[in-house]
Structure formats: structure tokens, C-alpha cells
Amino acid sequence: MTLHTPASDTRGSAPADAAESLPATLRRNAPLVPLDTASGRALVAVIAILTFLAALCAGAAELVSASSAQWRSSVAREATIQVRPRQGRDIEADVARAAAVARAAPGVQEVRATSHEESARLLEPWLGAGLDFGELPVPRIVVVRLGEGPRPDLAPLRRALAEGVPGATLDDHAQWLARLSTMAATVVGVGVGLVVLVIAAAGLAVAFATRGAMAGNREVVEVLHFVGAEDDYIARAFQRRFFQLGLVGGGIGGLAALAAIGGAGALAAAWRASPAGDQIEALFGAFAIGWRGIAIVVLIALAVSAVAGAMSRITVRQHLAAAG
């Protein structure tokens, strides 16, 4: 915004030579708060860094939320039947009977019973390899895949297993789903809290920068008051300039965050064939935040800009009210 001070713009009985007392920068039609200054560039850098951190927090929360939704969708479509060996009973017959009962249940799409060797391999990470599992009462697992649509009521299946297959228990993963949902909500809540704190820090940085700009332009502000400018006019000038600074810094920080997330996704894709890459992909997916994540980053950059403009205006009004 540029400021003009012709004689016709003065109010009341302001002297005609008031424009002669204006500082040189103001008489040259320069903005009240210049953008291209050392302090302005420093503030842009601070805002860019804070926006980058806030966008990374939001992107990480979005990745965890999306991955958690995929995990919950996958886990919710499965249930497991555990058949424990009992003295005097044929474990293979019990497993076959449990699988038959599960196939007859409504809403079940697929049933697969694990073999003794598969069950033994599942215990190797805890018991180690090379053990003779033939003499151990290793439980057998029957994986039940549920059909699409609303999750069926598994209570009838649980009762049928209790009546027909002694030692068989049904796990519908409800406890695991609840824990997974709580974990995802906690991560998202922490991410939102960090974003709010970073935006608040950006607002404080703008408030201090505005006070510095007010001190550096004290003579200009005094002359503007002398020629009849109101406090709201001066506050709008500062608000517009600091909003532009926030927009530049927020844009740089947001683009840097999107580039960082995209680079992390490219590295994860390059490591996909390795064990570490498989673990990373299992935890965060393909490191793609999607259009919703991009929209969140853009909103954060705009929020930082809006906070910068609002804090500058509030600071200027408070300063002028205290001075006047």
C-alpha cells in the first residue's frame, strides 16, 4: 500500500505545509512498511520455518490418520478362531469343525485354517527356531474373512463354537480396533496441538516485528496523525503489509513441506523392497497425503498469513491507543 498526502487530504485546520514535513520515503510514494528490508526478509524466513514445521506436523498426522483408517478397515473385515488342543481330542478334527461352523455363519466370505507348520512359524519370533513343536500344545488359528458391507453380528458364531468345538474361542479384534482408534486420535490431537502452537509462535513473532516497525517509522506515524490520519488507517497499512509478508513466508514454508513429504515418499518407494522399507510402508503407507493433506497445508499457510495480518493490526491499535 502506498500513502499519498496531497493538501486536499488533510483534515480540519492542518497547516498547508504539513506535506513539506513528511519524511523523504513517504513523499516518494513509498509504502509505510516496506517489504524488501532486512527485517522483512528475516520475518519471512521465520514465518517460512514455522509454517514448514506446522505443515510437517499436519502432514504426519494426516499420514497416520489415513494409515490407521486402512488398518482398521482391514482388521474390521477379519476375525480369528483359536482352537486349543485338549487331552483326548483330535485337534485336526476340531479345526475342521470350527472352520465348518464359521463357513455356515451369515456374513462370512472366506475361511482358512492354518496348518501346524504355519502355527509353529508364528511362534518362532518369540520361542526361536529349531524347537520341536510336535510335543507342545500349539494352538491352531482359523482366519475368518468377513464380507463387504455392515459388520455382521458375530455373537451367534461365538455361541455355535462354544457348543460345537470345546476349546475354541472367537476374537473379533474389537479391543485391538479400539486401541488403534485411540492411538490414531491421540496422534492427530498432538498434531493439531503442535500446529496451533506453531501458528501462535508466528503471531508472537509478527507482534514483535510490528513493534519494531512502529519504532522505526515513528516520525511517519506522527506526521500522519498531524495531517489527520486515523488510527484505523495506519493499522490497515501495517496489517496489509504484514499479511503480504505472512503470505510469502507461508507459501515458501508450505511448498517446502510438500516437497519434503514428496521426497520422503520417493525414498520410501526406493526402499520398498528392503525390510526397513516394508516396515515404513506398513506404518505410514506410501507417504502420500492426498488432496486432503495438500488442502490442509494450504490452509495452514493461509492461516499463518491471516494471523500475521491480524496480530499486526491488533499490535498497532494497542500501541497507538497507549501512545494517544
Side-chain angles (χ1 to χ4, degrees):
M1 174 181 177
T2 55
L3 301 177
H4 303 274
T5 54
S8 59
D9 289 338
T10 57
R11 301 187 312 168
S13 58
D17 61 343
E20 298 297 329
S21 63
L22 291 174
T25 56
L26 194 59
R27 290 201 305 268
R28 286 198 304 268
N29 218 21
L32 176 58
V33 186
L35 290 176
D36 191 17
T37 61
S39 59
R41 289 190 293 270
L43 182 61
V44 167
V46 171
I47 292 176
I49 293 172
L50 293 175
T51 305
F52 175 77
L53 295 176
L56 278 187
C57 291
E62 173 64 18
L63 285 175
V64 172
S65 177
S67 298
S68 173
Q70 294 178 357
W71 298 340
R72 282 178 287 171
S73 176
S74 177
V75 172
R77 301 257 65 86
E78 284 188 353
T80 54
I81 300 172
Q82 181 177 257
V83 182
R84 289 185 293 271
R86 287 202 169 190
Q87 191 72 25
R89 294 189 64 89
D90 185 0
I91 183 64
E92 297 296 337
D94 285 344
V95 170
R97 190 176 297 108
V101 171
R103 289 189 183 96
V108 174
Q109 182 179 12
E110 181 184 353
V111 176
R112 188 180 69 87
T114 60
S115 64
H116 179 78
E117 290 74 16
E118 289 178 306
S119 299
R121 282 196 298 269
L122 291 175
L123 295 176
E124 284 184 0
W126 289 271
L127 301 180
L131 292 177
D132 184 10
F133 291 96
E135 299 180 359
L136 293 177
V138 178
R140 298 283 293 279
I141 301 297
V142 179
V143 180
V144 179
R145 181 73 179 174
L146 304 178
E148 298 297 330
R151 185 179 175 87
D153 184 12
L154 298 178
L157 176 57
R158 184 175 283 107
R159 289 194 298 267
L161 288 171
E163 295 171 0
V165 187
T169 56
L170 176 67
D171 183 7
D172 59 359
H173 304 158
Q175 202 171 37
W176 166 249
L177 287 171
R179 291 178 180 177
L180 192 58
S181 179
T182 301
M183 181 204 71
T186 301
V187 172
V188 172
V190 170
V192 171
L194 290 176
V195 169
V196 172
L197 288 176
V198 170
I199 292 178
L204 292 176
V206 169
F208 283 110
T210 302
R211 289 185 177 276
M214 288 285 293
N217 293 274
R218 182 177 56 186
E219 295 181 357
V220 177
V221 174
E222 290 177 352
V223 171
L224 286 174
H225 271 146
F226 181 69
V227 298
E230 298 180 350
D231 290 352
D232 191 61
Y233 174 82
I234 300 172
R236 284 199 307 270
F238 277 88
Q239 179 183 5
R240 193 170 292 112
R241 287 301 169 179
F242 278 97
F243 175 79
Q244 293 176 4
L245 291 173
L247 198 61
V248 173
I252 294 173
L255 290 176
L258 292 176
I261 295 173
L267 288 176
W271 292 343
R272 187 167 295 170
S274 64
D278 292 340
Q279 294 295 327
I280 292 175
E281 186 175 6
L283 183 60
F284 296 105
F287 262 96
I289 59 176
W291 289 109
R292 188 175 71 172
I294 295 175
I296 291 173
V297 173
V298 173
L299 287 176
I300 288 174
L302 294 177
V304 170
S305 306
V307 168
M311 285 299 298
S312 176
R313 182 185 182 92
I314 293 171
T315 303
V316 170
R317 292 302 298 264
Q318 290 179 344
H319 180 82
L320 294 177

